[in-house]
Amino acid sequence: MIVAVLGLDCSPPKVSPGVLHLGPGETLSSVPGPMPGFGPFSNFSDALLAACPLILGKPHAMAGRPTDENFRLRWKLSQEYCAWLYYTPDDNYEMSMLVAATMQPDPTLRTCDLPSAVDDRRYAPEKLGYVFVLHNHPYENALSKSDIRFIVSMAAEHEVVVKTRSGAIPISIIAFYSHSADPERPTCDGFFQYVPGTGELMKWTPDQGHWSPEQIGTITWTAPGIYRIDYK
């Protein structure tokens, strides 16, 4: 049975619509937008509810649970996909195309090299608001050091707060996860979020078409590049 699983899962990665697969050493100066067939959405909550299953449903986006028999193999084959959820002059939220790496330099980590800019040719570049960095975690685990440092650098490059017609929204990073035991049938079970402007580390879970928040900690920067997490 294990041989059959190996034979199935070790096949070449599937080509997935809306995904840019970057080879070793490849980089992008910008990521195209919008994602075909996604949105637009008039509020970011609905956009996140739609983005979660879309990202988790990509090939090898899930590794299952660490207690699963085949977790080590699934983790080895797993991929991280990332995208921008951005705000347009039309008062809508759109998602860029997804970026994924064909190879992982560190076998203990999963990363994706998301450009800092979106290329949506319908709008002038300076008119876009960069709201959320979206990505998946192959299993439920908290945001990594690279996640936290990346969104801090993006807040410095763009804005800590994005002004929209319905109010100010702080830039943040989001990691979707699933509890499903079957990677082929992922469920959207929530996401972790870090908000650099407030220091909040949040965990959100879906609740009857809405997101239910829980603050799980606070991140405090004690020196350049150095921080501590105080969990609640």
Side-chain angles (χ1 to χ4, degrees), residues 135-178:
H135 70 300
N136 62 295
H137 277 185
Y139 69 97
E140 181 186 355
N141 63 326
L143 293 166
S144 67
K145 292 180 180 179
S146 60
D147 291 338
I148 292 167
R149 288 173 176 151
F150 180 74
I151 195 60
V152 168
S153 69
M154 291 300 97
E157 181 168 341
H158 296 295
E159 297 180 16
V160 175
V161 173
V162 178
K163 296 178 181 178
T164 74
R165 292 181 190 175
S166 55
I169 302 173
I171 190 173
S172 63
I173 189 165
I174 283 172
F176 297 114
Y177 65 86
S178 176

Side-chain angles (χ1 to χ4, degrees), residues 82-106:
C82 50
W84 277 105
L85 188 72
Y86 58 99
Y87 179 74
T88 73
D90 296 328
D91 194 29
N92 286 319
Y93 295 88
E94 298 270 17
M95 187 170 70
S96 73
M97 292 183 66
L98 292 159
V99 178
T102 55
M103 296 185 68
Q104 295 291 329
D106 186 339

Side-chain angles (χ1 to χ4, degrees), residues 199-224:
E200 293 173 302
L201 190 60
M202 306 290 294
K203 184 177 182 180
W204 298 76
T205 52
D207 181 14
Q208 297 181 351
H210 301 281
W211 293 104
S212 178
E214 175 191 2
Q215 185 174 354
I216 59 175
T218 302
I219 293 179
T220 302
W221 293 85
T222 57

